[in-house]
Amino acid sequence: MRRYVGVTAALVCSLALVAPSSAMPGADPDPNQQKRKVDSQIDQLREDLSETNSTLAAAFTALQGTQAKLPGAQAALDQAQGAAARAETANAMAAQELEVAQANETKAEDELSATTRHIRESRGEVAQFAAQIYQEQGFGEFDMAMTSTTPQQFADRIALIGTVMDLQGQSMVALATAKASQTAQEDRLSAMRADSEKAKRKAEASLAAANAARDKATAAKTALDALAAQQARQATVVKAQSIAETARLQQMQVESNRLSAVIKARAAAALARARVRAAANAKAKADAAARAKRNQANHSGSSSGGSSGGGSTSNGGPLSPPTTLGWISSEYGMRFHPIQHIWKLHSGRDYAAPCGTPVHAAADGVIIESGYNPGYGNRVIVDHGVLNGVALTTTYNHMERIKVRSGRVKRGTVVGYEGSTGNSNGCHIHFEVYEDGNFVDPRNYL
């Protein structure tokens, strides 16, 4: 039933509109009337700090919601930044792998080009050698031997022929080897090109992932900054409202204390006058008794009589609860304000029951005020006079509807019906008791 939040400037304006000039010092000659009005406004402020109206509740809920989102937003930013860093690392590694693959591909291409050039040169040499043999028709061992004129010339020609044939064979072997190397290099180049293509695709994917991660981190940072700015704005508004209402409450409390002193002084004077009247009444009774005694002595016959008196009695204390239905949702006492970080008084006792539940007068009395109050909603105030040596007043607040607005009421009279008007967040009656103009715990008199 109770939610605690800061107060708004709208409340200040509404109080200024409903507070009559008689609530100010010296405007109303009756300090009791001033006291009731000032205390009503003070209690209204207390109610707004403890029984928050819907506008303030929404503002404070929004602030709390923003604060609740900040850790998640920070965690999302940290996660996004971590992912972005990992993506950047993966992208750098992919770029290095692509660079290595391209370098290997270039090297393989160079090696293949060199081998191809070597094969081309070797083929030219073999072709030239074949052409030479063709041009020197019949060039062979037999011809060389037959045309030799000396044995030494024959031997030299035979050796030359062997050397030529060895060179020719070496050229053919080198050509075949180069051809095989060319085939292997072509296969290796194909593999290197495949590796380069794979590395290129990987690098492109890594770059895209890194860009996406950076974008996500940027969005997370933007969201966090927006939440932080929103929280700062909301906190500034709540703080300003709280400071303004605290100052107003302090000013009103000073006025309430002044009026309390005036009321106590008037009460002391009234008690003094009552003592004088009591003494005069006692003397008059004593004189009357003396005269009666003399008259009795002067008459031979007399008659005696008696008198009796009584008063109203009731079960329990001098006051009855405003309702016996529902439950006690909040007791009288000090409450800690979560925004202003101060302790404040919850000035009554709350009885929660379904809206429409009858509300009864706590004792005989006179309705001194009734109507709608922005803080208390539909409200009735009953003066019960002096009970057990103190002046008691009760108030019945947040009612759905008022039934009796003026005149005398008896204990148990239905004065209205439970509701949730004014600064209230659910059907209940906020029941207050004033003792000589000061708030007291209703349980003291129930």
Side-chain angles (χ1 to χ4, degrees):
M1 300 296 296
R2 292 289 184 268
R3 294 200 296 269
Y4 296 87
V5 297
V7 295
T8 60
L11 174 61
V12 177
C13 295
S14 65
L15 286 177
L17 292 174
V18 301
S21 59
S22 60
M24 301 306 295
D28 193 324
D30 182 3
N32 289 282
Q33 183 67 17
Q34 294 180 36
K35 173 66 175 175
R36 284 193 293 268
K37 292 179 180 179
V38 172
D39 282 350
S40 174
Q41 294 178 48
I42 292 176
D43 192 62
Q44 178 179 328
L45 288 178
R46 289 193 179 101
E47 285 291 311
D48 280 280
L49 291 172
S50 61
E51 295 183 290
T52 309
N53 61 37
S54 58
T55 302
L56 294 179
F60 188 57
T61 300
L63 175 59
Q64 287 182 319
T66 300
Q67 291 173 334
K69 292 177 182 177
L70 284 172
Q74 183 63 57
L77 174 60
D78 294 341
Q79 183 178 5
Q81 288 178 335
R86 291 190 295 272
E88 292 284 359
T89 301
N91 181 47
M93 293 178 63
Q96 291 179 353
E97 291 175 1
L98 175 60
E99 184 178 351
V100 171
Q102 289 175 337
N104 290 335
E105 180 183 354
T106 301
K107 181 179 179 182
E109 287 176 347
D110 293 342
E111 291 176 350
L112 179 60
S113 297
T115 301
T116 302
R117 185 168 55 255
H118 178 64
I119 291 175
R120 188 167 53 249
E121 292 174 355
S122 297
R123 284 177 175 171
E125 292 175 357
V126 171
Q128 183 179 2
F129 181 74
Q132 182 179 357
I133 293 176
Y134 179 77
Q135 292 174 358
E136 297 177 357
Q137 299 176 357
F139 178 74
E141 295 180 0
F142 180 76
D143 292 335
M144 293 181 66
M146 293 302 295
T147 57
S148 299
T149 57
T150 65
Q152 183 61 43
Q153 185 180 24
F154 177 77
D156 291 340
R157 286 186 175 184
I158 290 298
L160 177 60
I161 291 172
T163 300
V164 171
M165 296 307 293
D166 288 341
L167 291 175
Q168 183 183 17
Q170 291 175 4
S171 297
M172 295 300 293
V173 170
L175 180 60
T177 301
K179 189 64 177 176
S181 178
Q182 181 187 38
T183 301
Q185 288 174 347
E186 288 176 346
D187 293 340
R188 183 169 179 270
L189 178 59
S190 297
M192 292 297 100
R193 285 174 176 170
D195 290 343
S196 295
E197 186 63 26
K198 181 179 179 181
K200 181 180 179 182
R201 289 194 300 269
K202 182 178 179 180
E204 291 172 348
S206 297
L207 179 60
N211 290 335
R214 281 194 297 269
D215 293 342
K216 187 175 182 179
T218 300
K221 181 66 165 59
T222 301
L224 179 61
D225 291 343
L227 282 175
Q230 181 179 354
Q231 180 200 27
R233 291 192 300 270
Q234 292 170 335
T236 299
V237 171
V238 171
K239 182 178 180 181
Q241 294 170 350
S242 179
I243 291 174
E245 289 307 318
T246 298
R248 180 177 176 85
L249 182 60
Q250 290 172 346
Q251 294 173 354
M252 296 178 68
Q253 189 61 58
V254 170
E255 173 61 10
S256 175
N257 294 338
R258 186 192 70 81
L259 292 177
S260 294
V262 172
I263 291 172
K264 290 176 181 178
R266 290 170 62 92
L271 288 174
R273 290 192 298 269
R275 285 193 292 270
V276 171
R277 288 194 299 269
N281 290 337
K283 185 177 183 304
K285 287 181 180 181
D287 292 342
R291 285 194 300 272
K293 186 175 181 179
R294 288 194 299 271
N295 291 335
Q296 186 177 11
N298 295 331
H299 294 83
S300 56
S302 64
S303 60
S304 63
S307 63
S308 63
S312 61
T313 60
S314 64
N315 295 327
L319 300 179
S320 299
T323 180
T324 57
L325 302 177
W327 66 96
I328 308 300
S329 59
S330 184
E331 292 284 5
Y332 175 95
M334 300 300 293
R335 306 293 165 80
F336 184 74
H337 197 290
I339 295 179
Q340 294 179 320
H341 298 147
I342 58 175
W343 287 93
K344 298 196 67 63
L345 176 67
H346 178 246
S347 57
R349 197 183 200 202
D350 293 345
Y351 293 81
C355 285
T357 299
V359 176
H360 304 274
D364 297 352
V366 178
I367 295 178
I368 61 175
E369 186 178 325
S370 65
Y372 182 83
N373 181 284
Y376 281 111
N378 291 322
R379 181 188 203 193
V380 170
I381 303 176
V382 179
D383 182 0
H384 302 288
V386 177
L387 296 177
N388 297 333
V390 296
L392 291 182
T393 302
T394 57
T395 70
Y396 311 81
N397 310 281
H398 306 305
M399 289 190 292
E400 180 180 72
R401 179 167 59 89
I402 297 174
K403 183 178 181 181
V404 181
R405 292 184 175 271
S406 61
R408 297 194 64 85
V409 294
K410 291 290 187 180
R411 180 193 296 265
T413 300
V414 176
V415 296
Y417 303 92
E418 287 208 25
S420 186
T421 56
N423 294 329
S424 171
N425 293 302
C427 296
H428 75 290
I429 284 295
H430 179 68
F431 177 65
E432 296 174 330
V433 175
Y434 288 80
E435 180 185 285
D436 293 333
N438 299 313
F439 288 118
V440 294
D441 189 344
R443 289 176 295 182
N444 295 342
Y445 290 95
L446 295 175

